Amino acid sequence: MKFALIGYGKMGKAIEQVIVDQSKGDEIVLRIGEDNLHELTAANLRKADVAIEFTRPDAAIDNIFLCFEAGIPVVVGTTAWLERLDEVKKECADQKGGLFYAPNFSIGVNIFFEINRKLAAIMNSQPQYDVAIEEIHHIEKLDAPSGTAIRTAEVIMDHMNRKSKWVLANPFDSAADSAKSLLITAKREPHVPGTHVVTYSSSVDEIQVIHQAKTRRGFAEGAVMAARWMVGRKGVYEMKDLLSF
Ligand code: NAP
């Protein structure tokens, strides 16, 4: 299988390593970082069966549209562009493209989403507990809160009537901290791959669900699995389409 890697930073390099390790006659025909952006053309993308995109929020959408134009499916790990998802879905349908997007490709995090879905349904009838999310990432991360924290909040709010919106915790804005808000605290620390903690707290006890990535390998393996699955597919897909839970 022939891969194009759009974005050759921490994740692009981790994905390259997974492809090399799995080595089933696979080939990486294009690697794009900021120093060779001029090579990111529809003609070059057509040399690949599938593209994997891990760049930055302000670059992701142009890159997705270029893959649609080239007629190859694209797997997108870049976060913080989902406010334009409807526009991207429309372009995907118009161009008969293939798109797989996920705020988090790790299998463990998708299990974490599922546990949080079930726990939120139980906690919906236990109003003595308040719920909050904390995420910790490396200091170079451009967006806050993380796409994974936002997805976790959405999963919880889908099943918990007393929370209607998530807010990024801000010590200067106590108005945001209302009972209906699901608070997300974002911390940035050097050299950490990513932690998400969901805490339910009452006056007598606390329940926590924690996912802590040990390396980027889990995200990279999930992205490569999705890329292999996407070859020849059209339409828009997410992890729930790939996993059986
Ligand atoms: P990173 O180390 O900063 O790498 C970003 C890469 O994109 C770099 O190679 C950069 O080039 C390149 N780039 C910048 N602008 C570009 C453009 N316009 N077109 C093509 N390439 C461009 O970041 P990272 O840690 O790999 O993370 C990338 C994204 O993935 C972030 O949005 C992050 O939140 C997300 N992420 C998602 C998951 C998931 O599972 N979905 C997991 C981890 C991270 P230079 O190296 O030359 O600057």
Side-chain angles (χ1 to χ4, degrees):
M1 188 177 295
K2 293 188 167 104
F3 295 87
L5 300 185
I6 309 177
Y8 194 52
K10 291 183 276 301
M11 279 306 302
K13 291 188 177 86
I15 287 163
E16 176 180 50
Q17 191 59 53
V18 169
I19 293 170
V20 168
D21 291 349
Q22 292 181 347
S23 173
K24 297 176 185 161
D26 298 321
E27 208 182 326
I28 300 172
V29 295
L30 193 64
R31 293 171 182 79
I32 299 290
E34 269 183 318
D35 53 354
N36 67 336
L37 278 181
H38 59 280
E39 291 181 36
L40 183 53
T41 62
N44 277 339
L45 285 169
R46 279 188 204 106
K47 295 174 189 163
D49 299 306
V50 62
I52 305 182
E53 207 275 358
F54 279 73
T55 61
R56 29 187 308 143
D58 55 5
I61 295 192
D62 285 349
N63 293 338
I64 294 168
F65 286 2
L66 193 63
C67 292
F68 293 163
E69 185 189 327
I72 63 162
V74 57
V75 170
V76 181
T78 305
T79 47
W81 58 270
L82 287 183
E83 70 282 358
R84 291 179 63 190
L85 182 60
D86 288 346
E87 180 193 339
V88 171
K89 281 184 171 172
K90 182 176 180 309
E91 187 70 11
C92 186
D94 291 350
Q95 299 261 20
K96 299 191 171 35
L99 168 70
F100 192 116
Y101 71 98
N104 200 308
F105 278 96
S106 107
I107 305 297
V109 159
N110 285 279
I111 294 170
F112 174 84
F113 290 149
E114 199 56 30
I115 291 168
N116 275 297
R117 184 169 291 122
K118 293 189 165 129
L119 185 55
I122 293 168
M123 289 304 203
N124 193 35
S125 54
Q126 300 297 333
Q128 68 274 30
Y129 287 90
D130 199 10
V131 58
I133 299 172
E134 179 180 85
E135 57 100 332
I136 308 168
H137 283 87
H138 56 87
I139 48 180
E140 297 93 24
K141 184 166 175 59
L142 294 178
D143 50 320
S146 69
T148 302
I150 294 171
R151 175 61 62 89
T152 307
E154 288 167 354
V155 161
I156 292 170
M157 289 187 300
D158 278 350
H159 295 277
M160 184 169 284
N161 301 333
R162 60 186 180 275
K163 297 291 177 188
S164 53
K165 61 172 182 172
W166 62 263
V167 290
L168 185 58
N170 176 351
F172 305 107
D173 180 13
S174 55
D177 184 11
S178 83
K180 284 188 180 276
S181 305
L182 175 39
L183 273 192
I184 306 178
T185 305
K187 293 184 179 166
R188 297 292 171 259
E189 296 175 1
H191 314 301
V192 292
T195 296
H196 292 86
V197 185
V198 173
T199 303
Y200 286 87
S201 189
S202 75
S203 60
V204 293
D205 60 5
E206 205 163 80
I207 299 170
Q208 285 194 324
V209 186
I210 302 175
H211 181 273
Q212 191 159 34
K214 292 183 178 174
T215 76
R216 291 184 177 81
R217 178 92 186 181
F219 312 127
E221 285 178 354
V224 173
M225 188 196 296
R228 294 190 190 285
W229 186 82
M230 274 305 286
V231 173
R233 285 182 202 267
K234 309 255 179 238
V236 180
Y237 301 93
E238 297 184 58
M239 288 302 272
K240 65 178 164 46
D241 302 306
L242 180 64
L243 303 173
S244 54
F245 51 82

